[in-house]
Amino acid sequence: MEALRNKARELLAAGTVKVVIGYGRGSGGAARAVFIRDAARSGALIYDDSCRQNLAVYLMKPEVRRLGKAALVASPATLRTVLQLAAENQVPEGGLLLLAPAGGEVAVLAELSAVEARVAAQDQDLGRAEREELARYEAMTLEQRRDFWQEQFARCIKCYACRAACPLCYCARCTVECNQPQWIPVPAHDLGNLEWNVMRAMHLAGRCVDCGDCSRACPAGIPLHLLNRRLIAVVRESFAVQAGRSAKSDNALSTFKPDDPEDFIR
Amino acid sequence: MAEFDPKIVAFVCNWCTYAGADLTGTSRMKYSPQVSVIRFPCTGRIDFMLLLKAFAGGADGVIVSGCHPNDCHYSSGNFHARRRWIVFRGLLDFLGIDVRRVRFSWVSAAEGAKWAQLVNETVEQVRVLGPHRAYQRLRGLGVG
């Protein structure tokens, strides 16, 4: 934590970056995002197990971009997010510093290739607990899954917190706001809730890096990350690619191979 | 009780399957009248939301059909569509929606007989599955 504060102080004092986006202590002991522009305030930075939000979400906000070059405190999931954003041409090379804390030290990553190397050193696959969780749902019958999701989606209040929390849901104009035609009904009813959640998952297919912030942001406690994880698995099995691994990759659904495997089109 | 006549909505591309369906007609081949055909410029244009809207509008089954691989009028629309459907089917299944209600096919402009067979088979399959009540029960508020 001290190493992180010192590094932030150093970067701000030298003018290398204009803002350090990190975690600070919020109300009730919770971690919250802080935007530090003054080196003297670097002491407000914290980094511990309570720091779970994917701060890359702020990189896409115009008001944050206006602050100037940023240094971002980056968890492993945030590093993957930055690679995916770079692959979508949203992060210019050299336009961002990443501060990756690990074991009392803090690594400063300026090059996307350095981020790729660090991500490659991480566990590439879902953890055992995550795999078992997904397998539990996949083992259900179709009717059980349908009932499960209808029960979950019935609690959705269409607040779009999942969208706001997601660093990859950055479209300036979302389909939800399109009303000619109205793709997603405005009121929170069963049909519209299903359509919204299908659309959210599909628009993140081949792009989601599994940070889990959608589920953490959901005030109704809907396990939205399961939908994304399922699609990560489908994309990996079918096309042998995974988002957030490279700053140069094409999105799985914006490219193709002439021999993509399928057995259902006759 | 009268036999259940399913409502099938077919999303087809202009260049292959629509022309193929035309050929079915000009060849005087008979096929099930349960299908409503909607013409698109390309399978690449067929958004997954359109399938959901068809189900919301009371369709019991959906057909998506276009040019065979390597025959796309725009050279790659059907390849992109194929990837989309691979992923979409994975999601529908995970959400507990029966993917047997969504039938994908490649029907060229010369395959009038294949179109008739595709429609007939789909109608029969959906007839066995019955009305898509699980989806039709999801009611909106009568708006949007």
Side-chain angles (χ1 to χ4, degrees):
Chain A
M1 205 136 80
E2 230 17 77
L4 180 64
R5 288 172 183 162
N6 290 337
K7 186 53 79 180
R9 196 172 292 123
E10 187 189 313
L11 291 170
L12 286 167
T16 317
V17 298
K18 296 279 181 235
V19 57
V20 174
I21 307 173
Y23 302 98
R25 195 56 75 200
S27 57
R32 54 157 296 168
V34 291
F35 300 80
I36 296 175
R37 285 181 282 172
D38 178 359
R41 303 201 48 178
S42 301
L45 283 174
I46 60 162
Y47 195 78
D48 57 28
D49 288 345
S50 67
C51 303
R52 303 185 70 186
Q53 191 195 356
N54 186 348
L55 297 176
V57 68
Y58 296 111
L59 293 178
M60 303 307 297
K61 311 279 180 206
E63 59 273 32
V64 175
R65 295 198 151 193
R66 275 198 293 274
L67 295 177
K69 185 170 175 177
L72 184 73
V73 177
S75 66
T78 306
L79 294 178
R80 297 198 299 272
T81 311
V82 169
L83 286 182
Q84 180 59 27
L85 287 172
E88 298 177 10
N89 302 316
Q90 300 301 318
V91 178
E93 175 79 63
L96 176 71
L97 281 187
L98 292 160
L99 308 176
E105 296 293 307
V106 55
V108 183
L109 311 170
E111 307 287 322
L112 289 171
S113 55
V115 181
E116 283 174 350
R118 203 173 173 89
V119 166
Q122 293 168 8
D123 194 4
Q124 293 292 305
D125 212 346
L126 296 176
R128 197 184 148 161
E130 285 88 2
R131 275 203 302 272
E132 280 172 2
E133 186 188 30
L134 198 56
R136 204 164 61 239
Y137 292 98
E138 285 167 350
M140 288 180 176
T141 65
L142 198 68
E143 287 72 25
Q144 283 171 329
R145 278 203 296 275
R146 185 188 69 210
D147 293 348
F148 170 78
W149 284 112
Q150 284 189 11
E151 208 179 296
Q152 297 296 323
F153 291 157
R155 298 204 307 276
C156 175
I157 52 170
K158 287 261 190 72
C159 65
Y160 303 130
C162 43
R163 181 182 66 169
C166 179
L168 290 162
C169 259
Y170 57 75
C171 292
R173 189 152 191 255
C174 176
T175 312
V176 163
E177 270 88 42
C178 295
N179 54 8
Q180 297 218 346
Q182 182 86 47
W183 284 106
I184 306 291
V186 175
H189 52 58
D190 287 349
L191 183 64
N193 289 356
L194 176 76
E195 288 177 344
W196 157 243
N197 284 290
V198 167
M199 197 194 80
R200 195 193 69 84
M202 277 300 287
H203 285 182
L204 286 166
R207 303 174 59 233
C208 173
V209 298
D210 195 30
C211 71
D213 265 12
C214 44
S215 291
R216 280 194 284 277
C218 181
I222 303 171
L224 296 165
H225 65 284
L226 289 173
L227 299 174
N228 299 109
R229 267 197 201 143
R230 162 75 171 183
L231 294 191
I232 289 173
V234 171
V235 166
R236 195 174 46 204
E237 283 159 22
S238 303
F239 316 127
V241 290
Q242 197 163 350
R245 301 284 180 244
S246 150
K248 293 255 176 328
S249 58
D250 287 325
N251 289 343
L253 290 197
S254 27
T255 181
F256 67 90
K257 284 187 182 151
D259 56 351
D260 281 327
E262 51 78 18
D263 56 6
F264 59 88
I265 308 183
R266 279 166 290 150
Chain B
M1 197 180 102
E3 197 178 31
F4 162 61
D5 283 330
K7 266 191 239 168
I8 308 288
V9 177
F11 296 90
V12 305
C13 95
N14 176 46
W15 303 99
C16 290
T17 305
Y18 193 84
D22 229 10
L23 180 65
T24 318
T26 49
S27 309
R28 312 254 166 186
M29 275 183 250
K30 281 206 164 140
Y31 63 95
S32 171
Q34 303 303 322
V35 67
S36 306
V37 176
I38 305 178
R39 176 162 67 158
F40 282 78
C42 178
T43 38
R45 167 65 181 85
I46 303 172
D47 194 288
F48 60 90
M49 285 303 291
L50 295 166
L51 274 61
L52 293 189
K53 294 297 175 191
F55 281 132
D60 300 299
V62 165
I63 293 174
V64 178
S65 179
C67 308
H68 285 263
N70 294 318
D71 281 350
C72 178
H73 185 77
Y74 308 101
S75 82
S76 62
N78 54 359
F79 286 126
H80 283 104
R82 182 168 65 183
R83 280 213 165 187
R84 186 182 314 142
W85 302 131
I86 291 172
V87 172
F88 189 55
R89 269 171 55 99
L91 180 62
L92 284 187
D93 183 62
F94 194 63
L95 289 168
I97 296 171
D98 198 335
V99 291
R100 287 175 297 178
R101 293 184 184 276
V102 192
R103 180 78 184 267
F104 299 93
S105 185
W106 309 126
V107 173
S108 83
E111 294 176 318
K114 185 178 176 185
W115 171 253
Q117 192 193 352
L118 171 70
V119 172
N120 287 337
E121 275 177 24
T122 308
V123 169
E124 280 321 305
Q125 182 167 32
V126 175
R127 207 191 294 278
V128 172
L129 292 171
H132 199 187
R133 292 229 170 79
Y135 207 96
Q136 287 147 8
R137 256 205 314 266
L138 295 173
R139 282 280 45 108
L141 297 176
V143 286

